[in-house]
Amino acid sequence: MASLHLIVHYHEIILKGKNRYIFVNKLIENLKDVLNPAGVKGIREEQGRIIGDIPHGIDLNTIKERTSRVFGIANFAMASATDTHVEAIKNGALKQLEREAFDTFRVSTKRVYKKYPLSSMEVDRLVGAYIKEKMGKSVDLTHPQKTLFVEILKDRAYLYTERFHGAGGLPVSTGGTLVSLLSGGIDSPVAAYRMMKRGCKIIFVHFHSYPYLSRTSQEKVQDIVEILSQYQGASKLYLVPFGDIQKEIVLSVPHKYRIVLYRRMMMRIAGRIATNEKALALVTGESLGQVSSQTLENITTIEQAAPLPVMRPLIGMDKQEIIDQAKSIGTYEISIIPDQDCCQLFIPKHPAVRTHTGEIEKIESSLPIEELIEMGIKGSQILTIKAY
Ligand code: ATP
Ligand code: MG
């Protein structure tokens, strides 16, 4: 029986440039992380693609699902391998196609090993003629029901009929580390996902008001991080107790400024965690004008408390676009479970829509900022969450 292999084609961008090896090695590492536990062995580079060996009896659906969530992949397939001699390819092609239903077909050969004695077209023709003769099927070059792909490498040829879309993007961890402020709502998981897709490794920080509010938000973010870990491997999650910090703010600050001050404290604490973790920036799910804390003025006032740059990948997106993406990532169903977000604690009916840094700094001057940051950091619980 022919051996079965996973064959991964990476994104064009990785094929070029000096950093190619960094990208390919990281992609191999990321694939090993999710596919070794599923039984795939020997994941390696072979002439511009990544190959893994799939032992007999392994669940191919699991392999397909896991591979489709690894960033940096253009497409992938499950291929059988044969010797490179054209007779071996013909036999392999027949064995493969005999298991499939179709009337018309074509052969599409890619000769990766340029010293191969036949051209790609010659292989197409020889294999095509053989299938036609043995199976009585007809060749259709423009709209075939089935395409047999043949990739000829130096020592082996790989044959497959189905190609799956990869997730695109860049391999996670090639773009540095970010700290994501994760609320349990719809937006922030999508924001984290988009930065992962650009090659960033994400560390998550969630602020909760337990025991003033229920534990639901903490349970939700753990489930969300588990889903997001499918895309980046094991993830670190900081659960920061925020209720006592909010109490301090409430005691010395006019009602309408509470939300903005809560957010500024979140920026400072997440920024401190980021510095400790050697992360280079923060990421939030803010989208311009979506709620009163996300006016241009308030976003600016909030940002000015952040010790590091703040990335906002959703800033120009509509709610519906964000919802659609949350659904396709798989976080939406968890995000919509009702919970008690920490920002609902002690909030006024009419929060300030336009704040300015000068006035906010004056109001904040009565707060023991450094002590509050320390309080949040010291009280944090740190979890490691895995998807598989
Ligand atoms: P989301 O859907 O992500 O909750 P939102 O539309 O509810 O966002 P806001 O409540 O204004 O918007 O929050 C803006 C951003 O602040 C969030 O996307 C998130 O990055 C961060 N944030 C808000 N609450 C928390 C929290 N409890 N813990 C961590 N980050 C938070
Ligand atoms: Mg929210």
Side-chain angles (χ1 to χ4, degrees):
M1 199 166 147
S3 59
L4 190 62
H5 304 269
L6 176 69
I7 175 161
V8 171
H9 298 108
Y10 28 82
H11 244 213
E12 293 298 316
I13 187 165
I14 297 173
L15 291 171
K16 302 175 190 121
K18 280 184 245 141
N19 294 330
R20 183 179 174 276
Y21 281 99
I22 298 173
F23 281 86
V24 174
N25 289 340
K26 198 49 95 175
L27 181 52
I28 289 176
E29 224 175 86
N30 295 349
L31 281 165
K32 281 182 179 170
D33 273 355
V34 294
L35 294 179
N36 284 350
V40 180
K41 299 205 161 44
I43 297 174
R44 62 201 176 263
E45 193 199 1
E46 262 182 42
Q47 294 182 267
R49 47 272 289 137
I50 295 171
I51 309 282
D53 305 329
I54 305 176
H56 186 62
I58 277 189
D59 178 15
L60 299 185
N61 241 347
T62 303
I63 294 173
K64 185 183 153 196
E65 276 174 19
R66 293 188 182 191
T67 307
S68 70
R69 296 191 186 108
V70 174
F71 293 124
I73 295 175
N75 60 66
F76 63 97
M78 315 269 187
S80 59
T82 71
D83 262 357
T84 57
H85 194 280
V86 74
E87 291 306 319
I89 297 175
K90 279 155 66 175
N91 281 330
L94 181 62
K95 271 196 204 125
Q96 172 124 8
L97 290 174
E98 273 175 344
R99 291 192 302 250
E100 307 198 24
F102 63 97
D103 295 317
T104 62
F105 77 103
R106 69 171 293 183
V107 180
S108 173
T109 303
K110 188 163 175 130
R111 200 182 49 150
V112 183
Y113 180 57
K114 296 298 175 199
K115 290 186 191 147
Y116 192 72
L118 301 173
S119 74
S120 300
M121 281 220 321
E122 284 169 324
V123 177
D124 287 350
R125 251 185 267 127
L126 289 168
V127 176
Y130 185 70
I131 297 299
K132 194 172 156 189
E133 178 201 324
K134 292 283 178 188
M135 295 183 70
K137 309 285 185 185
S138 48
V139 172
D140 180 344
L141 296 182
T142 44
H143 300 291
Q145 289 171 359
K146 188 71 67 187
T147 299
L148 176 75
F149 297 95
V150 179
E151 293 186 28
I152 304 175
L153 276 62
K154 186 163 180 290
D155 300 315
R156 271 208 269 207
Y158 292 99
L159 278 51
Y160 56 92
T161 54
E162 201 175 1
R163 223 180 231 181
F164 307 106
H165 284 296
L170 300 169
V172 166
S173 290
T174 56
T177 306
L178 295 179
V179 162
S180 149
L181 286 86
L182 189 72
S183 70
I186 296 168
D187 305 334
S188 39
V190 176
Y193 168 88
R194 291 181 80 99
M195 297 315 294
M196 283 177 192
K197 188 165 178 178
R198 299 316 301 160
C200 295
K201 177 84 184 185
I202 306 281
I203 292 169
F204 297 93
V205 176
H206 173 68
F207 298 90
H208 65 83
S209 306
Y210 183 80
Y212 302 98
L213 298 175
S214 78
R215 274 190 197 276
T216 319
S217 78
Q218 293 180 67
E219 287 156 7
K220 280 175 67 181
V221 289
Q222 289 181 49
D223 290 349
I224 287 171
V225 171
E226 189 176 320
I227 289 178
L228 291 173
S229 297
Q230 296 174 341
Y231 303 93
Q232 72 158 7
S235 308
K236 220 176 193 181
L237 166 64
Y238 283 74
L239 297 170
V240 183
F242 203 54
D244 288 333
I245 297 174
Q246 288 174 290
K247 261 171 80 180
E248 283 285 328
I249 294 174
V250 166
L251 285 176
S252 49
V253 167
H255 295 198
K256 62 174 188 173
Y257 295 120
R258 282 178 191 165
I259 290 255
V260 168
L261 290 217
Y262 292 169
R263 286 275 193 275
R264 281 169 64 90
M265 279 314 299
M266 285 186 186
M267 289 292 171
R268 293 190 178 101
I269 294 168
R272 185 68 57 87
I273 291 171
T275 306
N276 293 343
E277 292 280 0
K278 299 191 169 48
L280 296 180
L282 306 176
V283 52
T284 71
E286 287 161 307
S287 160
L288 189 61
Q290 200 187 84
V291 288
S292 67
S293 59
Q294 295 176 22
T295 60
L296 209 43
E297 288 86 349
N298 282 346
I299 285 181
T300 308
T301 311
I302 292 165
E303 163 145 323
Q304 265 149 7
L308 293 171
V310 181
M311 314 252 141
R312 297 181 183 82
L314 312 187
I315 196 71
M317 284 173 78
D318 286 344
K319 192 73 188 186
Q320 193 55 47
E321 294 174 86
I322 299 170
I323 288 174
D324 291 345
Q325 182 132 49
K327 284 181 180 164
S328 77
I329 298 168
T331 52
Y332 181 77
E333 294 301 328
I334 300 168
S335 291
I336 58 171
I337 295 170
D339 68 357
Q340 295 181 304
D341 185 75
C342 68
C343 291
Q344 293 162 4
L345 191 62
F346 321 123
I347 58 155
K349 283 210 180 68
H350 302 290
V353 176
R354 295 178 211 291
T355 54
H356 299 282
T357 314
E359 65 178 323
I360 293 291
E361 279 173 353
K362 211 186 281 165
I363 294 163
E364 260 179 0
S365 64
S366 63
L367 288 172
I369 299 284
E370 183 56 34
E371 251 172 62
L372 296 181
I373 296 175
E374 285 291 318
M375 213 163 108
I377 300 279
K378 287 218 178 83
S380 293
Q381 187 190 354
I382 307 172
L383 307 177
T384 300
I385 295 181
K386 282 177 156 189
Y388 308 121

